[in-house]
Amino acid sequence: MAWAEKVYKVRNGKQTKQFTWRARWTKPDGKPGSWPGFPTKKLAEEYGEKQEAAIRAGRWIDPSLQQVKFGVFAKRWMKAKPKRGATVAKRWNLLEQHIFPKWEHTPLIDITWFDVDDWQLTLPCESVTAGHAVSLMSSIMTGAVDARHLEVNPLFGRRRTVPTGTAAPKPRAKKSAEEKWASPEVVLMMARRLGPAVGLHVLTTAFTGLGWGEGAALHRDNVLRTRRQAHNGKWFECPVIRVDEEVGELAEYEGRDPDGEKTGLVLQLEPPKNGNRARDIDVPSFLAALLKRHLEVWPHEYVFCTPSGVFWRRSNFTRAYIRPAADGREPLTQKQGRAERAGWEPIMPGLTMRDLRHTHDTYQDQIGVKASLAYDQAGHLRPGIKQIYQHPTPAMRRERLKGLESIYRSALGNLKWTEIWPEAPDPVQQVQPLNSPQTITGESEAAA
């Protein structure tokens, strides 16, 4: 049976005649529970009876746990929910940059959907980032429910308000649909300008759909493997590139220890971010021949790495190669300490490696690749029931390879080329930053 106790106020170290009431009840472990601050005995007793009723029903939540600060529980939740390194880094960034400034010291029980929705409208970031922040908060609050700190998650299943009218942020300039993919002639011109080693990375991305992390992590042992399937009483065979299920992606992020403290840049191999991205990609014959020639002279384990064999940082690769090759560059005259450098006209300003991944899927659509094979080769999860019932066949694979080969050959003809690169004396010497006349040094490679 719940009961109530007087709690006298103290002023200057002396008890006064003023008092409030403390609710008391028996907790599941047999020890007394309490909660102070009630103005009347009746309210305190009613609160205690409510706690005992919840205990009997098996749904009791300790009021002291409801008062745990959001920041304290969020750090505990982060330790208990390990993810891929890049995901952990993104979560900590959301917490530190957006969530903690407002909610770190707020008791869990005081967080309401009204307040959270109002707060996210004021965040000085893109709407999609605000959505990610709210989603992460909701996941943490669900964890609080699971840990019996709360009865319900007030954020679960709620649709956040999106700013409209004058309150809406001004949209950033976005690429048009035509700017998100490159014509085959553009891909070949980029590849030639970049040279055999780096240019092959561009060409491979456009004709296989490898993501940046997948291409940067590509080991020579996973290039030109063979797919072999029974077909029409014979065997269908083709070369493939394998995205390894254990080390198939190069991840780059700010490292964190279990307590969230920064530990420095991490550049390491990790499993692909989902099961669909671990896959074997069929390689057209022209690309297989170029990869074979590259591997015969390339001295390193990883196919698209720096001249010294270490992994590229994405920003360094983009700045040193993709931007000057796609956007063009100014000529430099010779002077002391600097060699002469020819200027370049732009090929496709703004082109990115991500656009080249879009390019591959666009080519697949252009040549009519069946959906089951297109999703499979791009590493995407096909929505709906068809992912269960439809599967790629050797005939589909053959048609896709034939179509990609045709795109490549047509582009060569349109450019009036017979090959992309003349014979290169040393592939390592071909890998030099295009915005500088100087060859990469060992020191700059390590920083890459």
Side-chain angles (χ1 to χ4, degrees), residues 251-393:
E252 180 179 348
Y253 53 89
E254 182 70 50
R256 303 276 184 154
D257 66 17
D259 294 317
E261 295 297 322
K262 294 182 179 180
T263 58
L265 177 72
V266 174
L267 194 64
Q268 66 181 21
L269 299 178
E270 291 186 355
K273 60 184 177 183
N274 58 56
N276 301 296
R277 296 295 287 270
R279 63 200 188 279
D280 286 350
I281 305 172
D282 302 336
V283 178
S285 59
F286 81 87
L287 185 56
L290 293 172
L291 285 167
K292 182 175 183 294
R293 187 170 71 180
H294 175 67
L295 292 176
E296 288 172 350
V297 294
W298 187 246
H300 305 301
E301 288 185 83
Y302 292 93
V303 183
F304 303 125
C305 60
T306 73
S308 61
V310 300
F311 295 126
W312 278 111
R313 289 187 61 183
R314 184 171 188 161
S315 59
N316 289 359
F317 180 86
T318 300
R319 181 179 64 252
Y321 296 101
I322 300 302
R323 292 279 56 81
D327 302 347
R329 69 181 184 189
E330 295 295 325
L332 291 177
T333 57
Q334 183 179 5
K335 66 178 184 179
Q336 186 175 2
R338 187 180 75 186
E340 183 178 3
R341 186 185 73 180
W344 282 337
E345 291 297 319
I347 293 178
M348 184 176 174
L351 181 69
T352 66
M353 293 296 282
R354 183 176 179 82
D355 294 336
L356 292 170
R357 179 162 159 78
H358 286 219
T359 293
H360 169 256
D361 220 18
T362 301
Y363 291 171
Q364 290 197 124
D365 199 30
Q366 175 182 315
I367 60 179
V369 176
K370 297 296 188 292
S372 57
L373 180 58
Y375 277 94
D376 171 80
Q377 295 291 274
H380 295 153
L381 176 64
R382 186 180 184 185
I385 194 64
K386 295 302 182 183
Q387 66 171 295
I388 305 297
Y389 286 94
Q390 293 183 349
H391 309 282
T393 66

Side-chain angles (χ1 to χ4, degrees), residues 22 59 69 84 107-108 115 125-126 159 177 199 232 261-262 266 296 313 330 338 392-393 397-398 414 418 435 439:
R22 176 190 287 126
R59 52 180 175 78
K69 301 296 190 287
R84 295 171 73 249
L108 292 169
D115 291 336
C125 60
E126 293 290 326
R159 179 176 294 180
N232 289 340
E261 295 297 322
K262 294 182 179 180
V266 174
E296 288 172 350
R313 289 187 61 183
E330 295 295 325
R338 187 180 75 186
T393 66
R397 296 184 185 281
R398 179 172 291 169
N414 292 339
T418 57
N435 57 357
T439 302

